[in-house]
Structures are given as C-alpha cells and as structure tokens.
Amino acid sequence: MKVLVITRPPNAVWDAIKSLRSIVACLVDWSADLDSVQGRVQDAINDFQPDLILTYRCPYILPGSIYTKTRYGAYNIHPAMLPKYPGLNPWPEIMRDKDMINGVTLHRIDNHIDAGEIVAQRSYSIRGMNCNEARVAADKIASNMVIRFFSTFQHTKEGNCK
C-alpha cells in the first residue's frame, strides 16, 4: 500500500509508518513552507499515486479536490477526543478545562473539520501531566493506533516514493 503522509517529523507516527513492511510511504513535510503545501501534496499525488493519505500534526486543511483522489480516502490523527475537542490545537482548551482524560482520534477526512467518521479512538489519563508530557503520551498512542489501522489492509510493498 502506498501512503502519502503529511506531517512534521520527527514524531512517533512517522517512525511507525516507516517501520511497516506493507507500506511504502511518501512524506510531505509541511514545516519547510506551509504556503506551498497544497502544491506539494498535489505533486505527490500525481507522481506517487498513493492509495491513502494520512495527516498528523498538520495545520493544513485538505480540500476535497485532494482528499477524494485516493483509493481508500484520507485520514487524520487528532490528538484529542472528538467531537469534544476539535480544531488545530486542542491542547490549551484541554489544559484549561483541567480534564484528567484525553485521547487520540483517528478519523476520516471529509468536508467538515475534525467531524469525519471516527475509525479509532483511545483515551488515556493525563492526571499529573503537563502539556508537553500529555503530547508525548498522545504521540505514542497515535503511533500504536496507526500500526493497528494499517494492519487491517492486506497489501504487499510496492514501488518507491519519488
């Protein structure tokens, strides 16, 4: 399976994807130039022809002209429980609310931000954690979630990313 990953490495999700034998991954690192992300994603879709798109820690909203172009669609890993904490950066609100439980959500991307079909969700205690510690815990949970998610696809490795 060919997966286009839009993220800012390093992070545990990108590391997990690279470790999967059944996945050929192509990275679009948005950190270099956020303004050119749409063009770089479109080029990667044209050149790499991914089966699926995955976003993680990505401040860029994919337009329908992009997320509908792949065989299996596009998915986002959100570092909080949806629908409770949508949005680009839910951490300030989570910490302000003094929630003791947070979570990670894997959902399908659709035309509403953070509102697509939830594919997987896992909660965890953040009692006694500061924001950075909670983010690290979310990153580990997200990487395990990705491994489980891709294990549901029965494909062999094919080709190389350009």
Side-chain angles (χ1 to χ4, degrees), residues 39-140:
R40 288 185 288 134
V41 168
Q42 190 61 58
D43 289 346
I45 288 172
N46 293 339
D47 296 340
F48 183 58
Q49 298 181 349
D51 297 304
L52 185 144
I53 297 171
L54 180 74
T55 63
Y56 181 61
R57 292 184 177 177
C58 180
Y60 174 70
I61 304 302
L62 295 180
S65 61
I66 289 177
Y67 71 76
T68 58
K69 294 220 175 177
T70 62
R71 179 177 176 189
Y72 296 113
Y75 295 83
N76 178 55
I77 300 173
H78 187 73
M81 296 299 275
L82 290 176
K84 186 174 183 180
Y85 290 111
L88 178 60
N89 183 7
W91 293 105
E93 189 176 353
I94 292 166
M95 293 297 154
R96 184 193 67 228
D97 289 352
K98 299 189 184 324
D99 260 344
M100 294 298 109
I101 303 294
N102 188 36
V104 175
T105 305
L106 173 64
H107 67 96
R108 186 178 278 277
I109 295 174
D110 67 12
N111 58 349
H112 302 286
I113 297 171
D114 292 334
E117 171 194 4
I118 293 174
V119 175
Q121 200 167 48
R122 180 166 170 224
S123 62
Y124 65 102
S125 173
I126 59 172
R127 181 178 299 277
M129 291 184 188
N130 63 34
C131 189
N132 189 52
E133 292 165 333
R135 285 177 194 231
V136 169
D139 201 41
K140 290 177 186 173

Side-chain angles (χ1 to χ4, degrees), residues 18-35:
K18 291 187 305 182
S19 75
L20 295 171
R21 292 175 155 200
S22 62
I23 301 296
V24 175
C26 182
L27 172 68
V28 173
D29 180 350
W30 62 263
S31 63
D33 181 9
L34 187 57
D35 293 333

